[in-house]
Amino acid sequence: MPTSFTVVPVEAQGEERQRDGQLREEEDEGDERDRGAGDGIARESSPFINCAELGRGNMYEGKNMALFEEEMDSNPMVSSLLNKLANYTNLTQGVVEHEADEDSKRKEVKGPRMGTFIGVYLPCLQNILGVILFLRLTWIVGTAGVLESFIIVFMCCACTMLTAISMSAIATNGVVPAGGSYYMISRSLGPEFGGAVGLCFYLGTTFAGAMYILGTIEILLTYISPSAAIFKVADVGEETEAMLNNMRVYGTCIVILMAIVVFVGVKYVNKLALVFLACVILSIIAIYAGVIKTAFDPPDFPICLLGNRTLSKRSFDVCAKFTESNNETKTTSLWRLFCDSSLLNATCDDYFSLNNVTEIQGIPGIMSGVLTDNLWSVYSEKGSIVEKKDHPSVAGSEESKMGGLPYVFTDIMTYFTMLVGIYFPSVTGIMAGSNRSGDLKDAQKSIPTGTILAISTTSFIYLSCIVLFGACIEGVILRDKFGEAVNGNLVVGTLAWPSPWVIVIGSFFSTCGAGLQSLTGAPRLLQAIARDGIVPFIQIFGHGKANGEPTWALLLTVGICEIGILIASLDSVAPILSMFFLMCYMFVNLACAVQTLLRTPNWRPRFKYYHWTLSFLGMSLCLALMFICSWYYALIAMLIAGCIYKYIEYRGAEKEWGDGIRGLSLNAARYALLRVEDGPPHTKNWRPQLLVLLNLDNEQLVKHPRLLSFTSQLKAGKGLTIVGSVLQGIYLDKCTKTQKAEENVKALMGVEKTKGFCQIVVSPNFRDGISYLIQSAGLGGMKHNTVLMAWPQSWKQTENHFSWKNFVDTVRETTAAQQALLVAKNIDLFPTNQERFTEGNIDVWWIVHDGGMLMLLPFLLRQHKVWRKCKMRIFTVAQMDDNSIQMKKDLQMFLYHLRLNAQVEVVEMFENDISAFTYEKTLMMEQRSQMLKQMQLSKNEREREAQLIHDKNTASRSAPAVEASVAAAVPEKVQMTWTKEKFVAEKHKNKDTNVSGFKDIFNMKPNQSNVRRMHTAVKLNGVVLNKSQHAQLVLLNMPGPPKNRKGDENYMEFLEVLTEGLDRVLLVRGSGREVITIYS
């Protein structure tokens, strides 16, 4: 033996390269197998597991992580993972996302740049305010009265506000790509609901385009240029039919023109969006300015009344029967409309003869007190005359013919529910912000804030306009839908300042812009649904131009829009799109309610101001409004959605998006079990389904009851829990004990409030019984994916049934079964369910990424009252060539996307030489192991020899510790303190007690691989003790057992050293699949 020697790592470079090459081939084969298995989802495949290309070159270099080197085959180092995450950008949007998936390549996406105001608030404002405000709100106020109109608007605004709250929760639960409500519903409730509601939302958006186009034509032909009408009124009473035909002709022309604009230059539509928004805002400002002006100078818009009947001023100019000119009485044009000649003795209409013609102000002003007259509703039949209540009138003969006389008639029958259907489209458009999520700086902050502020603003505008219209405008003018009594002016325009043309021109451009945006957005929505592949017969609409523009989808959209144009009546089209939007909003609320009630671990919205009761209330309100608007339209819309749902279920492509319905199915009976058994659950639905392995004593009582306490704290009554144990023997002999053991375990489960199932297995061999439980526990989809067990404290004592061999074999079997493993060390120090930690930390030591278990477990524990006030800290290890500052930033960004709040710290572990203590610790470990193998000693002798080795280790520890501390100050190679003389003296010292085999044992050299592993364990233990000695719980990656079974006992020693000095430790070993995701 040399006089002195230096311990250096053995770099078997040739062998290393050969092994690395073999590992590459094995991993390539494994990757091929992996691609054929799993959930088969390319869109949301995780970049975190089985990424062997991450830092493969330096994966095995260095000694600090040698303990985990066999894990690196499938699990990357955290530093490599964070380096990949640093390049993460927001998901590509819309068409680009689908094309990138099909072509298997990502296109670069420009950095998000829009804030809350520009990106969410203004688009929502533009989409909510529109045609109904300008063309129909005054008529709704006049017909329903201020009070009932207030109720209508409040119900609709409450519906959208509740939906916005639910939408905000879903939109802030991870990274939400563009796709609006379709994406949120399909990923929350599954492809069947998503496809059905997505197509309904598409139809609603398309019919909204038709409604905006009809509104544009109505403004053009009624208020801007009535002479442009193609179909003229030939006979009395044909005004409505002529108007509808004009709508059809002009509407068809405009929809074709808009389609060409969208096809050729969609970018110009987006550029003009601000112009259209400016028109809306200026028009609303003009309305409020006009209201203020009426307080001191009301505009002059006189109304002509015959008795209490309103007259249309389109046919005459003077509101009188006669005029006096040069002491001569002359009849007016009004006289000639009611009489058969212009002579004073002509035969006139009976009502005209009995009643006087009077003139009143159409806009008396806000101080006039007209509000009290407009509080109550005035519903009427189709074709009835608009009359002023409480105005003197003498009834004429019933036979008097109304047709052809210049009265203002109602064009449709009015009632409360019909007005709700007409009004509701004016509050849609709340999804505009979520559709732009990829263009926002911080979508999870901007979407809730901007959407809710926009709804609050528009609700205030609508509600205030109702009161102001009722307080400023005469009731007969409010009920005059087309402004015939005020010379054909737009009614809301008569109130505006400085001119009615501000409203007319502003509303014209705003409806044009809204129509263009509907024709732009609807084809993209259809293209997204088609490219998801869930509805086979519409897949053709997923194709488009080379730049991704949805050509075929645009053609179908124009065709469906033309159907709405042919209906030609704005009042008839509005309830149709109300149905589709209400159904969409109903399922958004349902999605939020289901996710909240299921409490899936992935459900962690950053928007906290939601509750399942609000979502349920919003869903109920949407359903009620559907039947209030039109019960037959509601049934038709639900029938269409139901047919699409069943079609997708029967013929559609199978998709697994981690939806809430799949999570709900886990709690159902046979149907759900068969459905879940189709494949493994999606990452978003993953939760630890525990198999808890208990040890029983001779009385069949549980040795470690705290293990069940920890189980209930981890599960909180959710998911699957199977509590298993093994009795050694033959089942026929152990029936009674098995029943007793099962009763004891169930009783303890009741005390600890552990909800789950108990399974006792009798096996001739304890180790085989554990294997049976791991393989066969559970049923179908209700099968465990995680094994929880206690650390065998007395593993060095051979009489322990659960020896270290059983433990290591259990670790290997859980890995082979692709199940996660949790090992609780010092389980008797863990808290009971009655204890409460008022402070402290849960420390996570993230060494290798094995699926995210280390992130998920503290989140689940902190849901329980015991751990709720503990803070989460995450430590990761940086080595010499890692950028610690960048690693910390990347880890913080990763946690932000995971919606987890934790303190982050990067601990630096630099390369240094192996200490003398580590070398001696490894040597003594191997000597003890070799000694017990060579010597067939009795029980007492074996314990005495083991104690001898322990004493020798303790005696020799002090001197090396001093020299190691001195050597640490100088980063040179550390010299061992073992000299030849000292070694010979040590041999002679114990010569009398040694047997012949000791000579070989003391001459042996430690295995270099074991030295490196012990070096990792010692160093890592020192770092963990330094940072987490006083933590309430320490979670640590559990290194895998050696591939060579000869080193199993050494593996136990490594784990002992790794966790030495810590009170509560949870060793975590992942299952090899992702259990946590940044996606929504």
Side-chain angles (χ1 to χ4, degrees):
M1 200 169 192
T3 307
S4 63
F5 58 91
T6 302
V7 180
V8 294
V10 178
E11 300 290 345
Q13 295 179 354
E15 296 177 6
E16 193 78 19
R17 281 194 295 269
Q18 182 179 359
R19 183 178 60 181
D20 191 22
Q22 293 174 354
L23 284 171
R24 286 174 187 244
E25 293 175 3
E26 291 174 5
E27 284 189 351
D28 290 341
E29 293 175 3
D31 289 344
E32 290 297 327
R33 289 192 298 271
D34 290 342
R35 279 192 285 270
D39 50 16
I41 304 162
R43 283 171 56 94
E44 297 184 9
S45 60
S46 172
F48 309 138
I49 285 293
N50 293 328
C51 289
E53 71 275 6
L54 295 181
R56 190 194 297 270
N58 59 5
M59 192 171 284
Y60 300 106
E61 294 179 5
K63 304 176 289 293
N64 283 338
M65 293 298 113
L67 185 58
F68 294 92
E69 67 182 21
E70 292 183 357
E71 304 299 293
M72 310 282 182
D73 293 349
S74 58
N75 303 327
M77 284 291 296
V78 174
S79 56
S80 302
L81 172 74
L82 293 176
N83 182 46
K84 186 172 180 77
L85 286 172
N87 299 321
Y88 170 80
T89 58
N90 217 332
L91 292 182
T92 47
Q93 301 299 306
V95 176
V96 181
E97 177 189 9
H98 295 294
E99 290 188 347
D101 283 333
E102 286 187 353
D103 300 338
S104 302
K105 57 184 179 181
R106 290 279 178 192
K107 298 180 181 180
E108 288 190 4
V109 183
K110 294 181 180 179
R113 56 189 178 276
M114 287 195 291
T116 303
F117 186 74
I118 297 294
V120 181
Y121 181 75
L122 290 183
C124 286
L125 212 64
Q126 181 183 3
N127 280 268
I128 295 172
L129 298 172
V131 60
I132 301 296
L133 171 65
F134 301 119
L135 296 184
R136 291 293 181 268
L137 191 58
T138 53
W139 174 70
I140 291 173
V141 173
T143 304
V146 172
L147 294 180
E148 290 186 25
S149 300
F150 201 91
I151 293 172
I152 291 173
V153 174
F154 183 80
M155 276 198 309
C156 296
C157 291
C159 175
T160 53
M161 180 61 80
L162 292 171
T163 304
I165 291 172
S166 299
M167 184 195 73
S168 298
I170 298 173
T172 59
N173 186 48
V175 181
V176 179
S181 59
Y182 163 68
Y183 183 90
M184 289 187 285
I185 293 171
S186 61
R187 269 58 175 180
S188 297
L189 292 180
E192 295 88 358
F193 279 109
V197 180
L199 286 177
C200 286
F201 188 53
Y202 162 74
L203 293 174
T205 307
T206 305
F207 274 104
M211 184 188 74
Y212 292 131
I213 292 171
L214 292 175
T216 303
I217 302 165
E218 183 177 312
I219 294 170
L220 176 67
L221 297 182
T222 308
Y223 306 111
I224 296 178
S225 179
S227 60
I230 298 173
F231 294 90
K232 307 294 183 182
V233 180
D235 297 322
V236 176
E238 294 184 356
E239 295 89 349
T240 303
E241 187 62 32
M243 185 66 180
L244 294 179
N245 288 330
N246 285 319
M247 290 274 197
R248 294 181 180 110
V249 174
Y250 274 96
T252 302
C253 296
I254 290 180
V255 77
I256 293 172
L257 182 64
M258 286 186 173
I260 293 172
V261 172
V262 171
F263 179 78
V264 173
V266 68
K267 59 183 178 181
Y268 300 111
V269 178
N270 295 328
K271 287 181 179 179
L272 289 172
L274 282 177
V275 177
F276 299 139
L277 176 62
C279 293
V280 176
I281 294 175
L282 286 175
S283 301
I284 293 171
I285 292 173
I287 293 172
Y288 282 109
V291 169
I292 296 171
K293 184 174 177 291
T294 62
F296 53 86
D297 183 19
D300 184 27
F301 281 101
I303 308 168
C304 191
L305 298 178
L306 176 61
N308 64 352
R309 297 177 179 179
T310 311
L311 297 177
S312 172
K313 279 199 171 181
R314 293 179 185 272
S315 306
F316 63 93
D317 50 359
V318 179
C319 182
K321 293 182 180 181
F322 323 98
T323 57
E324 296 288 340
S325 177
N326 298 326
N327 293 326
E328 183 180 355
T329 302
K330 294 181 179 180
T331 58
T332 62
S333 56
L334 179 60
W335 174 281
R336 290 188 287 274
L337 292 172
F338 283 92
C339 302
D340 55 6
S341 72
S342 59
L343 301 175
L344 293 174
N345 60 354
T347 304
C348 296
D349 179 76
D350 192 28
Y351 188 83
F352 181 76
S353 303
L354 295 174
N355 291 275
N356 295 323
V357 176
T358 57
E359 198 171 54
I360 62 172
Q361 273 300 325
I363 303 180
I366 195 170
M367 308 300 291
S368 64
V370 73
L371 178 62
T372 55
D373 298 332
N374 293 329
L375 283 177
W376 311 108
S377 60
V378 185
Y379 298 117
S380 58
E381 296 289 330
K382 179 180 179 180
S384 58
I385 300 172
V386 176
E387 298 178 342
K388 179 174 172 57
K389 297 181 295 182
D390 303 327
H391 202 73
S393 172
V394 179
S397 62
E398 295 295 330
E399 291 81 14
S400 65
K401 187 179 179 182
M402 299 257 184
L405 299 179
Y407 294 125
V408 177
F409 295 97
T410 57
D411 63 332
I412 57 175
M413 185 174 67
T414 54
Y415 45 92
F416 179 81
T417 56
M418 186 268 292
L419 295 180
V420 175
I422 292 176
Y423 173 76
F424 187 80
S426 67
V427 296
T428 58
I430 62 174
M431 301 290 182
S434 62
N435 289 342
R436 296 167 178 250
S437 61
D439 300 324
L440 302 173
K441 289 179 182 176
D442 187 353
Q444 298 188 355
K445 176 184 175 184
S446 297
I447 289 176
T449 308
T451 305
I452 292 174
L453 278 179
I455 293 174
S456 302
T457 304
T458 53
S459 299
F460 171 77
I461 291 172
Y462 282 128
L463 293 171
S464 62
C465 282
I466 285 173
V467 177
L468 295 176
F469 290 163
C472 295
I473 306 176
E474 185 62 53
V476 289
I477 296 296
L478 289 172
R479 291 190 293 278
D480 182 5
K481 184 187 288 187
F482 301 108
E484 295 180 42
V486 284
N487 301 318
N489 279 302
L490 185 61
V491 174
V492 70
T494 61
L495 182 62
W497 180 86
S499 167
W501 285 100
V502 175
I503 301 293
V504 173
I505 300 300
S507 60
F508 178 78
F509 281 111
S510 71
T511 50
C512 277
L516 276 172
Q517 288 187 336
S518 294
L519 289 180
T520 303
R524 279 155 180 74
L525 177 59
L526 180 63
Q527 187 182 44
I529 300 171
R531 293 202 172 185
D532 264 347
I534 58 175
V535 186
F537 72 85
I538 67 166
Q539 287 186 359
I540 187 175
F541 299 109
H543 304 293
K545 293 195 294 185
N547 62 353
E549 291 298 318
T551 309
W552 293 106
L554 178 61
L555 290 176
L556 179 65
T557 302
V558 170
I560 297 173
C561 191
E562 179 62 21
I563 296 174
I565 298 295
L566 294 177
I567 294 174
S569 172
L570 182 74
D571 302 320
S572 300
V573 173
I576 296 175
L577 65 101
S578 293
M579 290 301 113
F580 293 125
F581 278 119
L582 279 167
M583 180 172 291
C584 174
Y585 296 165
M586 180 176 71
F587 279 97
V588 169
N589 285 295
L590 175 63
C592 182
V594 167
Q595 296 278 29
T596 307
L597 290 173
L598 283 178
R599 297 180 184 175
T600 54
N602 188 65
W603 182 245
R604 301 185 299 276
R606 290 199 171 274
F607 180 77
K608 301 298 181 185
Y609 306 103
Y610 71 96
H611 194 266
W612 70 267
T613 53
L614 293 177
S615 300
F616 188 79
L617 179 61
M619 183 181 68
S620 304
L621 189 55
C622 289
L623 185 62
L625 283 174
M626 285 178 68
F627 283 92
I628 286 173
C629 294
S630 174
W631 64 269
Y632 48 89
Y633 277 162
L635 291 177
I636 292 171
M638 295 174 78
L639 180 64
I640 292 172
C643 291
I644 298 171
Y645 177 94
K646 296 305 292 183
Y647 176 81
I648 295 173
E649 188 179 53
Y650 178 64
R651 291 290 304 274
E654 293 185 4
K655 298 284 184 179
E656 168 58 278
W657 287 327
D659 52 84
I661 296 298
R662 180 58 61 96
L664 190 61
S665 297
L666 291 171
N667 300 318
R670 174 181 174 275
Y671 172 74
L673 282 172
L674 292 174
R675 185 177 179 185
V676 172
E677 203 171 11
D678 290 341
H682 191 276
T683 301
K684 293 184 289 186
N685 277 336
W686 196 96
R687 64 166 77 243
Q689 317 282 14
L690 290 181
L691 170 62
V692 185
L693 298 180
L694 294 179
N695 286 337
L696 304 179
D697 59 17
N698 294 331
E699 300 296 324
Q700 282 73 51
L701 297 175
V702 178
K703 285 186 178 179
H704 304 292
R706 298 287 179 93
L707 199 60
L708 286 181
S709 303
F710 183 72
T711 302
S712 62
Q713 292 160 21
L714 186 63
K715 300 293 293 180
K718 300 295 178 184
L720 174 70
T721 302
I722 301 173
V723 180
S725 187
V726 177
L727 294 181
Q728 198 163 353
I730 300 174
Y731 182 73
L732 293 177
D733 300 331
K734 297 280 186 178
C735 284
T736 306
K737 290 187 176 181
T738 302
Q739 292 177 356
K740 182 180 178 182
E742 189 168 345
E743 290 173 1
N744 292 339
V745 172
K746 286 183 177 179
L748 185 60
M749 289 172 66
V751 172
E752 297 294 345
K753 298 181 180 178
T754 305
K755 298 179 181 179
F757 309 98
C758 177
Q759 190 167 351
I760 306 296
V761 172
V762 179
S763 172
N765 182 284
F766 192 87
R767 181 230 173 282
D768 290 340
I770 296 293
S771 179
Y772 299 155
L773 278 174
I774 292 174
Q775 293 178 58
S776 61
L779 174 64
M782 298 293 284
K783 185 173 176 62
H784 66 277
N785 55 30
T786 305
V787 177
L788 172 63
M789 60 195 297
W791 171 263
Q793 298 287 357
S794 54
W795 63 272
K796 296 181 181 180
Q797 300 176 11
T798 55
E799 75 276 5
N800 180 24
H801 291 296
F802 199 82
S803 66
W804 56 269
K805 289 184 179 180
N806 292 338
F807 177 83
V808 178
D809 284 339
T810 302
V811 175
R812 285 198 175 99
E813 287 184 351
T814 55
T815 304
Q818 295 185 339
Q819 295 172 6
L821 177 65
L822 308 179
V823 179
K825 191 174 181 188
N826 301 326
I827 185 62
D828 294 328
L829 299 178
F830 277 59
T832 64
N833 290 329
Q834 288 70 41
E835 294 180 44
R836 300 287 184 270
F837 288 131
T838 56
E839 59 182 3
N841 299 309
I842 299 177
D843 285 357
V844 176
W845 284 85
W846 196 23
I847 311 300
V848 294
H849 181 72
D850 57 357
M853 282 284 287
L854 286 170
M855 304 292 173
L856 188 62
L857 292 174
F859 169 79
L860 294 175
L861 281 174
R862 291 179 68 240
Q863 307 302 304
H864 197 273
K865 295 177 181 178
V866 173
W867 306 90
R868 185 164 294 165
K869 294 186 179 180
C870 292
K871 295 180 180 178
M872 182 176 169
R873 297 193 302 180
I874 295 182
F875 298 87
T876 190
V877 176
Q879 299 198 51
M880 181 70 75
D881 52 350
D882 291 327
N883 186 338
S884 303
I885 298 175
Q886 188 61 40
M887 277 182 68
K888 184 172 183 179
K889 289 180 180 178
D890 295 342
L891 182 53
Q892 287 172 337
M893 180 58 66
F894 183 43
L895 292 176
Y896 178 80
H897 285 301
L898 288 175
R899 291 91 64 203
L900 293 174
N901 296 319
Q903 180 183 340
V904 174
E905 187 169 341
V906 177
V907 179
E908 296 179 344
M909 276 180 60
F910 296 120
E911 293 279 343
N912 58 359
D913 292 326
I914 297 172
S915 66
F917 168 67
T918 301
Y919 194 92
E920 290 186 23
K921 185 95 174 171
T922 311
L923 183 62
M924 295 305 161
M925 174 187 72
E926 294 189 358
Q927 286 176 347
R928 176 185 177 278
S929 178
Q930 188 67 23
M931 185 188 308
L932 295 180
K933 287 178 183 177
Q934 288 184 2
M935 301 175 62
Q936 300 297 326
L937 302 177
S938 65
K939 177 181 176 182
N940 293 334
E941 289 173 325
R942 192 181 296 255
E943 290 179 356
R944 186 166 62 250
E945 295 302 333
Q947 186 64 38
L948 173 65
I949 298 297
H950 180 268
D951 293 342
K952 238 177 53 175
N953 182 20
T954 305
S956 61
R957 180 170 179 173
S958 57
V962 173
E963 291 200 13
S965 62
V966 174
V970 182
E972 299 288 339
K973 294 184 178 180
V974 180
Q975 300 295 323
M976 287 292 295
T977 58
W978 281 71
T979 62
K980 184 175 181 180
E981 293 78 9
K982 184 174 181 180
F983 186 69
V984 171
E986 185 70 23
K987 285 175 63 179
H988 287 293
K989 179 180 177 182
N990 298 316
K991 187 174 181 180
D992 295 334
T993 58
N994 284 350
V995 294
S996 60
F998 270 41
K999 181 177 181 180
D1000 294 331
I1001 293 173
F1002 277 101
N1003 282 328
M1004 65 185 294
K1005 292 183 179 180
N1007 181 279
Q1008 291 296 326
S1009 177
N1010 287 339
V1011 172
R1012 292 165 59 224
R1013 284 174 165 81
M1014 183 64 77
H1015 177 71
T1016 299
V1018 171
K1019 283 204 67 178
L1020 199 54
N1021 176 256
V1023 173
V1024 174
L1025 276 177
N1026 182 39
K1027 297 287 185 179
S1028 303
Q1029 188 168 15
H1030 302 294
Q1032 302 292 8
L1033 178 64
V1034 176
L1035 284 83
L1036 189 64
N1037 280 118
M1038 180 179 182
K1043 294 180 180 178
N1044 184 0
R1045 290 177 179 266
K1046 294 180 180 178
D1048 285 357
E1049 192 173 14
N1050 298 338
Y1051 171 70
M1052 298 295 291
E1053 191 71 38
F1054 294 143
L1055 294 183
E1056 279 281 8
V1057 172
L1058 183 64
T1059 57
E1060 191 175 359
L1062 297 172
D1063 290 337
R1064 302 183 193 92
V1065 183
L1066 188 65
L1067 294 171
V1068 181
R1069 184 165 172 77
S1071 61
R1073 63 163 292 164
E1074 282 293 322
V1075 302
I1076 194 167
T1077 177
I1078 65 174
Y1079 297 104
S1080 171

